[in-house]
Amino acid sequence: MPDSINNSIKIILAQQNFIVGDFKQNLTRLHAAIEKSRDELSADLIVFPELALCGYPPEDLLLRKGFLDQSQQALVELTTVARGIAVIIGHPLIDTSTDQENKPALFNGASLLRNGQVVATYSKHSLPNYSVFDEKRYFTAGRDPCVFELNNTKLAITICEDIWAPDAARQAKEAGADVILNLNASPFHINKQSEREAEVKKRARETGLPVLYVNLIGGQDELVFDGGSFAMDQSGKVCARAPACLEKLLPVTFTNEKKLTLTSLPLSPIPDLENSIYQALVLGVRDYVEKNGFPGVVIGLSGGIDSALTLVIAVDALGSDKVEAVIMPSQYTATMSIEDARTQAETLNVKLREISIEPVVKAFASSLKDEFSGTSPDSTEENIQARIRGVLLMAISNKFGKMVLTTGNKSEMAVGYATLYGDMAGGYAAIKDVPKTMVYRLAKMRNQRAAVIPERVLERPPSAELAPDQKDSDSLPEYDVLDQILESYIELDLCAHDIIDRGFDADIVSKVIKMVDRNEYKRRQAAPGVRITQRAFGRDRRYPVTSGFSKTDKA
């Protein structure tokens, strides 16, 4: 271990990006961080996030013996390089001494590695089983504290949810800890960093102990882990903070003369609302594309605000050379839409294709002429246009290997204002959890850095352009009203009368709720997308497709 004065200790909070199940790549990243912390930063201890060894969340991979075997092998390999510096690593922990139904107990664990050995282990006490978390499906809860001594300082290990309630921190204090170390895989949602720090502040003040909070970063399917690792002193003051959505080895130095004091610490600011969301979207898209091995993405560019924002996010995430845009005009596409799409593609320096869908629309109309005889045009013909565009995009994707990035927002997905197998067709949905009103705010924020979205796109009324003079407001309430109703119903789980009591028109509320309920079947078939709110569609909100509740509920 590096030479150090006995009354001081230097700890590295390793805010790193790992891949679920890629033990080889994860070990490479772990090795590099350990070596840099030991050899360049002269640290005494490096602390990695929750389940860093295998990536988080591993979900049902934890039910596979082969996965657990590889995890154990990776831990053995990591132990051999843990020399000259102490290492705390999160990993699945198998306890063969505790059998449950003839199976060893599995814990969400962490191990202290020193001098080539595992010298202590800790099992997570509080297993979250709400929202996107289902840890009780896999893990057994631990009970005992884990406190170890390093340079005359006693440090306690805790894991993520443990710090959101008093018990684990209190046990650590009673076991003699001077500092609490908290390993996290805490996913992003709006205002999450402030929530984390407010909760940890309670633990610091309750125990009178500093808390070091290390968080994962990276995208994992729908979840984005935004980092923001921090060090908080015993009074609840944040003395150090790592940046959001970036890898960082954050050094934290304690002196331990008469009391523990944090010294010489960098303090990155918490991003404002729009920037925090935008950073999460960029990180989520980048990691989904790159971790799944796609060479790039292809996007249908309509000249509207949603595809415009999606294109900018993709370019910021991947670079313009990995992004391709396709304009697919019909007879209803406004000239300005084509002009604005061309202008944006040129501004962002992305490859642009233009394919008219009119010949294909006519071919469909001819094929269906007899079937549709005696009927009037309606949404069927509109959806055919959207589905033709989906087929064209998927054909380009199949031919060249680039993934289709869909462009629908949360407001549209909520009320079913999207075409199944049409504009919903694709591999990933960048703004799936972004309400329409926030789409505009993000676009304006991004344009403040550089004018990458034509101003007309921000100013004109939104339209699907599938029928003459069509506007979204023909079918939907104004978005500033719609988004408030949707937030109340989807994220807050309010009933109709509660929403009406907030001042919304009863007929509009009833219409919106019916649209949300009857379009669950569409959302079940939608591409995954970045989660930014506290209740996203997907694993976060699990409603039955077949249900009579909305038909009978008069609340």
Side-chain angles (χ1 to χ4, degrees), residues 220-231:
Q220 175 60 30
D221 297 342
E222 296 167 293
L223 302 181
V224 170
F225 300 93
D226 58 320
S229 304
F230 60 91

Side-chain angles (χ1 to χ4, degrees), residues 34-47:
I34 290 170
E35 290 173 4
K36 182 173 182 178
S37 298
R38 180 189 61 212
D39 301 337
E40 298 180 30
L41 301 177
S42 301
D44 301 290
L45 171 67
I46 181 170
V47 185

Side-chain angles (χ1 to χ4, degrees), residues 163-166 169 199-209 211:
I163 209 70
W164 289 76
E199 198 63 35
V200 174
K201 185 176 184 178
K202 295 177 185 177
R203 303 293 90 78
R205 288 184 168 181
E206 288 165 1
T207 60
L209 301 179
V211 180

Side-chain angles (χ1 to χ4, degrees), residues 302 304 332 417 436 460-467 469-472:
S302 69
Y332 304 119
Y417 197 64
K436 186 77 167 191
R460 60 188 295 211
S463 170
E465 293 191 327
L466 297 172
D469 301 319
Q470 187 178 46
K471 299 183 183 66
D472 289 6

